[in-house]
Amino acid sequence: MHWFSDHGVELKTEDDGRVFPVTDNSASVVDCLLNEARRLGVSLQAGKSVSGASVNDNGKFVVEVQKRTVDFVDYIDANYVLVATGSSQQGYSFAAQHGHSIIPPVPSLFTFKIADKRLADLSGVSFTRVTAKLMLDGIQKSAPELTQTGPMLVTHWGLSGPVVLRLSAWGARELYQDKYQAKLVVDFIPDIHIEDVKRILFQHKDQHAKNKVNNAFPKEFGLVKRFWGFLLEQESLDGDMHWATVPKSHLNAIALRLKQWMFEVVGKGQFKDEFVTAGGVPLSEVSISRQLNGSFHKHGSTHENFNLFICCKDIA
C-alpha cells in the first residue's frame, strides 16, 4: 500500500477491509504499473507466446518464445522466470515441468445459490454488517475462518457480498467436494445479543400497541422495510395487524430468526461468475528472494547480471 501511495495511487480501505484506489478506477493501478515498468526499462512484448522453458548447464532458464503471426522462434536466457498465467494449463505444466507439485484448482470467490425462491423478492436488499457461518459436512469442527462478518447482498438467485465471497474462498475445496451443498447461518444483527433483541421487541410492542406491525418496527435493528415485511411473512404474520395482537411466541421466533437464520446453499452463483480459483502451486513451495527484491530497489533498474522473464497470459 505504501508503494502504490509513493507512486501516485492513493488508496482507501473499506469497512470490510477491502482496498481500492480512491479513484474507484482499476486503470489507476494498471497505469501505475505500466508507467513504472517503462521507467525501469522493462520490455513488454505482446503478440507472442511462450512455448517452453528449460534449464541449461549453467543453471539459467532458457525460455522459448514464438510469434503468433509468423513462423518465428526466439530463445531468451533468464536468471529467473515468473509465471503469471492465471488458471491457464500452460502455467501449471511449466511449474510441474520444473519440479513443483500442483493442487487441482477449484472455483473460489463466488456467490451462493439459495434454495428459498422467496429471496428473489428481496433482490437488491443489502446489509451493512452481518455475521455468517458456513456449515459443511466435510468439516467436523467449527473452523474460525468459516465465520465471517461484514456486508451482505441479496440477489435474485441467492446471497452475495464480501461476507459470502470470503466464505466461498475459505471453504472452496470443501464446497467443491460437497457439490456446493451446505448450510449458511446468518446473524443479521451481530452487535445485539439475542436477549436484548427480545427485550427491544417486547418494548416496541408495548410502546406501539396501536400501530401496524408493517409500518412501525424497531429502528435499533437497522433493517429495511422490505426485509422486515419478508420476516413477518416467514412467521405468517399479517403486516396490517396491530402490535398489541402479536403473540409473544412470534416475537421470540422473530428474534431467533434475526440471530440465526439458516439458509440452504444448493449451488454457486450463475454464469461461472467466480473470480479466481483455489489451488495451483502450494505456497509452501514458493519463496521470495530478498536479493531479487533488492536488485530492483537498490539499482532502480535491472542489474547488469540480472535478467527476469515474466510469462503472462493475454497481455494486450
Side-chain angles (χ1 to χ4, degrees):
M1 290 177 66
H2 284 302
W3 187 91
F4 277 106
S5 296
D6 292 342
H7 289 77
V9 181
E10 293 301 322
L11 303 175
K12 61 178 180 179
T13 304
E14 303 288 334
D15 293 338
D16 62 355
R18 294 177 299 161
V19 179
F20 296 98
V22 295
T23 60
D24 285 324
N25 189 342
S26 60
S28 300
V29 175
V30 175
D31 292 343
C32 172
L33 295 174
L34 289 175
N35 290 335
E36 186 65 7
R38 282 190 287 266
R39 187 184 72 83
L40 294 174
V42 175
S43 172
L44 301 178
Q45 300 185 32
K48 299 180 180 181
S49 62
V50 175
S51 55
S54 58
V55 179
N56 62 21
D57 295 338
N58 297 324
K60 290 189 176 183
F61 288 99
V62 178
V63 183
E64 183 179 302
V65 180
Q66 294 181 340
K67 275 194 173 181
R68 296 175 182 173
T69 55
V70 296
D71 187 13
F72 173 82
V73 179
D74 192 14
Y75 296 91
I76 300 174
D77 292 333
N79 298 76
Y80 299 90
V81 172
L82 174 62
V83 180
T85 54
S87 59
S88 167
Q89 290 300 316
Q90 181 193 38
Y92 296 138
S93 64
F94 284 168
Q97 178 185 349
H98 294 284
H100 283 291
S101 54
I102 304 297
I103 298 175
V106 297
S108 180
L109 288 183
F110 49 82
T111 58
F112 290 163
K113 185 177 180 181
I114 303 298
D116 192 343
K117 295 181 179 180
R118 292 171 295 183
L119 273 181
D121 296 333
L122 293 178
S123 180
V125 171
S126 62
F127 303 87
T128 56
R129 182 176 167 83
V130 305
T131 293
K133 180 179 180 180
L134 188 62
M135 301 176 66
L136 296 161
D137 291 337
I139 297 180
Q140 302 299 323
K141 297 181 179 179
S142 178
E145 61 269 17
L146 294 182
T147 299
Q148 296 289 328
T149 299
M152 188 178 75
L153 171 69
V154 181
T155 70
H156 63 277
W157 67 80
L159 298 173
S160 182
V163 158
V164 171
L165 295 178
R166 288 200 296 266
L167 288 173
S168 74
W170 285 110
R173 198 157 297 280
E174 290 78 10
L175 282 165
Y176 176 80
Q177 293 171 350
D178 292 344
K179 298 181 179 179
Y180 303 101
Q181 307 290 309
K183 291 180 174 59
L184 184 71
V185 181
V186 179
D187 181 349
F188 288 95
I189 41 178
D191 297 322
I192 306 178
H193 191 274
I194 188 170
E195 295 304 322
D196 291 325
V197 174
K198 294 178 182 179
R199 175 182 55 79
I200 292 172
L201 286 170
F202 293 149
Q203 287 180 351
H204 194 88
K205 176 181 177 179
D206 294 338
Q207 296 170 0
H208 300 269
K210 297 181 180 180
N211 291 19
K212 295 181 178 180
V213 291
N214 200 32
N215 294 331
F217 53 92
K219 302 302 180 184
E220 294 93 329
F221 299 158
L223 306 175
V224 298
K225 187 174 181 179
R226 283 175 63 193
F227 180 70
W228 177 255
F230 179 76
L231 184 58
L232 295 177
E233 290 178 6
Q234 308 310 301
E235 294 302 322
S236 300
L237 294 174
D238 186 347
D240 289 330
M241 69 187 300
H242 294 91
W243 272 96
T245 62
V246 180
K248 287 187 176 181
S249 60
H250 281 275
L251 294 182
N252 285 326
I254 288 175
L256 192 61
R257 278 189 183 273
L258 285 172
K259 292 300 293 180
Q260 42 183 293
W261 199 329
M262 182 176 291
F263 297 92
E264 292 286 339
V265 179
V266 296
K268 63 184 182 65
Q270 300 172 335
F271 313 120
K272 298 182 179 179
D273 63 346
E274 60 270 8
F275 300 108
V276 299
T277 55
V281 176
L283 291 179
S284 60
E285 297 181 8
V286 179
S287 63
I288 303 299
S289 168
R290 290 181 180 272
Q291 183 178 1
L292 168 60
N293 191 39
S295 296
F296 278 99
H297 289 280
K298 181 178 180 180
H299 302 287
S301 61
T302 306
H303 192 277
E304 60 180 357
N305 295 322
F306 180 87
N307 187 14
L308 171 67
F309 186 92
I310 302 179
C311 168
C312 296
K313 179 184 178 184
D314 296 336
I315 292 183

